[in-house]
Amino acid sequence: MGRVLQVVGYQNSGKTTFVVDYIKESVKYNLKVGTIKHHGHNTPLLNYDEHKDTGKHRRAGASVSLVEGNGTLMLTSNNLHLNLSQLIAIYKSFELDVIIIEGYKLESFPKVVLLRSEDDLPMLMMIDNIYCLIASFTLPQTFTNHYKVFTNQKECITWLLTKKAGETID
C-alpha cells in the first residue's frame, strides 16, 4: 500500500502547518497522500449534513454513512470508535503512497516530533519510534546525539521524502 508517518507535538507546535507543507511537497514527487487527524479534544466533531440525507440516515440508526459525488467522498459516523489500525485499513483501497497521521502520540509508527520549547522535552520520554525532531530552540546535546534534528521544516520534509521515511504497510 505505501508507508505511514506520524507527526506529533503539543497543541500549537505547528503540526498542521508541517502536514500541509509535507503534502504540498509530496505532490511535487507525484505521491498520492492521505491524512488521518486525531481530534484530541473532548468535544464531538460537527457534522454539517444533519439536514441532508446522510444525516437522516444516521439519525435513523445507521452506524456509518457515506456519500460520494463527482469524486468527493464523505464518510461520517456518530458512534463508531475505530482505532488507528482500523482507520488505516479503510485507506487501503485508496492505493496511497503515504499516509500522514497527525497526532496519536502513543501509537508506534515512525514519528516526526515538533518541539516548541524545552517544556516539550518530557514528551520524548513518553513516545517511541522517533524518526526525527524539529525544534525552534537549541536542544541539549543528549538529544542531538541521539536523534536527527532539524531547525528548518522544509529541510526536514525534503529529507523525509528523499529517505522515503515511514513504516511500509501492505
Side-chain angles (χ1 to χ4, degrees):
M1 175 166 112
R3 57 189 192 270
V4 176
L5 184 67
Q6 285 184 256
V7 178
V8 301
Y10 289 124
Q11 189 172 5
N12 296 318
S13 61
K15 294 181 302 293
T16 301
T17 299
F18 180 88
V19 169
V20 168
D21 290 346
Y22 184 96
I23 294 166
K24 288 178 181 177
E25 197 63 25
S26 296
V27 170
K28 293 177 186 175
Y29 285 73
N30 295 314
L31 297 175
K32 192 173 172 186
V33 181
T35 63
I36 298 174
K37 163 89 170 110
H38 183 247
H39 179 69
H41 310 288
N42 290 327
T43 57
L45 294 172
L46 297 176
N47 288 321
Y48 294 100
D49 66 340
E50 289 304 317
H51 302 291
K52 301 293 183 186
D53 295 345
T54 51
K56 292 175 185 177
H57 298 169
R58 285 192 314 279
R59 281 196 308 282
S63 294
V64 64
S65 180
L66 185 143
V67 61
E68 184 280 330
N70 296 323
T72 299
L73 176 78
M74 211 162 109
L75 178 73
T76 56
S77 171
N78 289 339
N79 57 5
L80 283 182
H81 301 284
L82 302 177
N83 63 39
L84 185 56
S85 295
Q86 292 169 312
L87 295 172
I88 290 169
I90 291 171
Y91 274 47
K92 287 188 178 184
S93 64
F94 297 114
E95 299 177 358
L96 301 169
D97 298 304
V98 181
I99 298 173
I100 300 296
I101 299 168
E102 183 177 333
Y104 291 94
K105 284 181 196 75
L106 300 181
E107 292 291 336
S108 62
F109 292 102
K111 292 173 187 63
V112 176
V113 182
L114 282 75
L115 302 168
R116 302 169 298 185
S117 70
E118 288 187 18
D119 294 340
D120 293 351
L121 292 176
M123 174 179 42
L124 299 177
M125 303 306 151
M126 300 175 353
I127 60 178
D128 66 353
N129 209 356
I130 297 170
Y131 201 75
C132 66
L133 308 175
I134 301 176
S136 55
F137 61 98
T138 303
L139 287 170
Q141 189 173 2
T142 55
F143 296 102
T144 58
N145 289 343
H146 193 66
Y147 301 109
K148 177 75 172 167
V149 177
F150 294 91
T151 57
N152 180 294
Q153 176 175 293
K154 185 168 176 43
E155 288 176 10
C156 178
I157 291 169
T158 300
W159 181 77
L160 291 168
L161 289 167
T162 303
K163 292 278 190 188
K164 297 185 179 181
E167 181 178 318
T168 302
I169 59 171
D170 296 321

